[in-house]
C-alpha cells in the first residue's frame, strides 16, 4: 500500500482513535474528523469507559491532523466511518456528498441499539443493513463494509490474537475498491480476508453482532474473533 | 453417554435422517417421527435435492424405529427437533405437550424463509428467536438450542472438517439439560462447546445464519464452520 496515502477517519471515540492511530502507525496520512472540533477538544474528563479526553490523545499522536467531518472527508482519498451506528449517516451528511463521491468509503460501524441495555439490539437487520443504507444514500461513493466483527484493538492489530489466525469479512459493489481495502487490511495484519460479495452481503457480518455480544459476555471481554474453517 | 438412551427425532428430511443415523451409529435408541408416516413411506421419487425416498433410507437403517411425531416424542427421553423452521412448532404441537414435559428438547432448526429465494431471510430475529418461542410454548420442556450453525453432515461428524477444530454453541435455561446435551455433542465429536447462557442467547446463533448463507455462496458449499478464537 502506498505510504502517505490520505485517509480521513470520521469519529473520535475509541474506534476512531484506535483506527486512526493504527493507520498512522503504518505510514498513512490520517485526518480525524468530528462534528464540532472545538467542543470535542474542550472536554477534560475521561469518557464513560475511562479513556482520557480526546485532547490528550491528540497531543500524544503528533502527525495526525484534526478538524471537522467535512475536512477529514475532503482530505481522504479513502474515508473510514468510525462513529457509532446511530451517528453514521448524520456524520456522512455533515462530511458532504461532494467529499465522498468517487471515493472508497470504509464502513466499520454497527447499527446497534443499547437503549434496552446489553446485549444490544440491531436497529436495521434481516431485509437491510447499514452498509446498504449508506450505499443507497451516497450512490457515487464506493462503500466497503469490513472490520465490524471485531473490537477496535483487533481491527488494527489482528496478530494480537492467535498470531492473526482468524477471519475478516468484506462486502461491497466495487471490485477495485475492495482490492484497495483488502490491501489496507493486509497491511494491518489480516491474513484471511473473505470477500462475501456485493453490499447486500453486509447483512451477514452485521447480523453476526448479536452472537458477538453473547460471546463477549461468555468469554468476559472483547479479545476474540472467529475463524472460518473450510 | 448412556448407550441405549432413547432419543426421538422429529423430521424425515436430510437433517432428521442424518442426525438419526448419526445418533443411532453411536448406540442411541432412535425413533424417527413425521406427520403422516404412511404418506412419507409412499413417496417413491427422490426429493428436490436428489436424496432417495425416505422408504429407501429407512430400509438401509435397520434398528431405527419410525412412526408419528407423537410416537417419536413419547419414545424419547430426549427429543430432537429436526424439521425446517416453519414446521417446528406444528411438529411439536403434533408431538403433544404431555410427550415433551420434563424432557430435554434439542432444537437444531432455523427460522428461515426461502420464499424470496437464496439467501433466505429470517422469520424471527433480533427481539426473539425460535428457541425462545418453543420454550414459551412448552414451558415444562427443557429447550436447548444447538447445532443450527452447521449443515447436517457436520452436526454428527464434526471431525470431517479440520479434525473437528471448530466451535458449536448451546443455549438453554436448564443447566442439567445443557450438561446432557454437552455430553451428546462430545460423543458426536464436538470438542469446543460454548454455553452461551439462557435460551434468549439463541438469538445469536440464529442470527448468524445470514452470514452462514453468504459464506455458503462464497465458499461454494456447506462444508465449513467457524471457530471462536480466544
Amino acid at each position: 500500500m502506498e505510504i502517505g496515502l490520505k485517509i480521513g477517519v470520521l469519529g473520535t471515540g475509541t474506534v476512531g482513535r484506535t483506527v486512526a492511530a493504527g493507520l498512522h502507525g503504518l505510514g498513512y496520512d490520517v485526518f480525524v474528523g468530528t462534528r464540532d472540533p472545538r467542543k470535542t477538544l474542550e472536554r477534560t474528563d475521561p469518557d464513560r469507559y475511562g479513556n482520557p479526553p480526546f485532547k490528550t490523545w491528540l497531543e500524544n499522536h503528533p502527525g495526525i491532523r484534526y478538524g471537522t467531518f467535512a475536512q477529514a472527508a475532503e482530505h481522504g482519498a479513502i474515508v473510514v466511518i468510525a462513529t457509532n451506528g446511530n451517528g453514521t449517516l448524520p456524520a456522512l451528511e455533515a462530511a458532504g456528498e461532494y467529499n465522498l463521491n468517487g471515493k472508497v468509503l470504509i464502513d466499520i460501524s454497527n447499527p446497534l441499539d443499547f437503549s434496552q441495555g446489553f446485549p444490544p439490539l440491531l436497529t436495521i437487520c434481516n431485509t437491510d443493513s447499514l452498509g446498504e443504507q449508506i450505499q443507497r444514500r451516497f450512490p457515487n461513493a464506493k462503500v466497503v463494509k469490513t472490520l465490524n466483527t471485531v473490537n477496535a484493538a483487533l481491527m488494527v492489530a489482528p496478530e494480537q490474537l492467535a498470531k492473526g489466525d482468524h477471519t475478516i469479512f468484506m462486502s461491497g459493489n466495487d471490485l477495485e475498491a475492495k482490492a484497495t481495502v483488502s490491501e489496507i487490511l493486509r497491511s494491518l495484519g489480516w491474513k484471511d480476508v473473505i470477500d462475501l460479495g456485493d453490499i447486500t452481503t453486509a447483512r451477514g457480518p452485521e447480523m453476526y453482532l448479536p452472537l458477538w455480544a453473547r460471546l463477549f459476555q461468555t468469554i468476559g471481554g472483547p479479545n476474540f474473533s472467529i475463524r472460518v474453517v473450510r
Side-chain angles (χ1 to χ4, degrees), chain A residues 43-176:
Chain A
R43 289 180 197 142
T44 53
D45 294 334
D47 69 12
R48 55 182 166 159
Y49 304 108
N51 297 308
F54 182 73
K55 185 171 189 292
T56 307
W57 179 88
L58 192 63
E59 287 165 356
N60 290 337
H61 290 85
I64 296 184
R65 279 187 277 174
Y66 172 63
T68 63
F69 283 138
Q71 287 175 307
E74 186 183 14
H75 168 87
I78 292 168
V79 177
V80 180
I81 310 165
T83 60
N84 67 47
N86 292 329
T88 296
L89 284 166
L92 290 169
E93 295 292 352
E97 188 165 6
Y98 50 93
N99 286 323
L100 302 171
N101 283 343
K103 293 183 180 175
V104 176
L105 190 51
I106 305 181
D107 171 28
I108 64 176
S109 61
N110 275 306
L112 298 177
D113 168 15
F114 288 91
S115 67
Q116 312 293 313
F118 196 92
L121 299 175
L122 291 169
T123 56
I124 311 159
C125 67
N126 207 17
T127 56
D128 200 3
S129 63
L130 185 54
E132 288 165 88
Q133 288 195 333
I134 296 167
Q135 186 64 82
R136 281 199 304 273
R137 172 60 191 86
F138 300 97
N140 296 315
K142 298 165 184 171
V143 179
V144 179
K145 182 98 201 185
T146 192
L147 288 175
N148 69 305
T149 53
V150 292
N151 88 320
L154 287 175
M155 287 179 185
V156 295
E159 76 281 357
Q160 285 183 351
L161 177 68
K163 295 178 184 169
D165 185 23
H166 43 108
T167 303
I168 203 73
F169 306 103
M170 200 171 59
S171 303
N173 295 339
D174 190 283
L175 290 180
E176 210 175 313

Side-chain angles (χ1 to χ4, degrees), chain A residues 10-26:
Chain A
L10 310 187
T12 55
T14 301
V15 178
R17 296 180 197 187
T18 308
V19 168
L23 292 170
H24 180 66
L26 288 171

Side-chain angles (χ1 to χ4, degrees), chain A residues 150-212:
Chain A
V150 292
N151 88 320
L154 287 175
M155 287 179 185
V156 295
E159 76 281 357
Q160 285 183 351
L161 177 68
K163 295 178 184 169
D165 185 23
H166 43 108
T167 303
I168 203 73
F169 306 103
M170 200 171 59
S171 303
N173 295 339
D174 190 283
L175 290 180
E176 210 175 313
K178 286 192 284 192
T180 300
V181 172
S182 183
E183 274 192 73
I184 294 174
L185 291 171
R186 287 176 197 284
S187 74
L188 289 168
W190 288 99
K191 297 168 192 166
D192 187 28
V193 179
I194 295 186
D195 179 355
L196 292 170
D198 68 25
I199 194 65
T200 69
T201 66
R203 295 178 202 178
E206 290 187 11
M207 291 178 78
Y208 160 73
L209 260 289
L211 179 55
W212 187 93

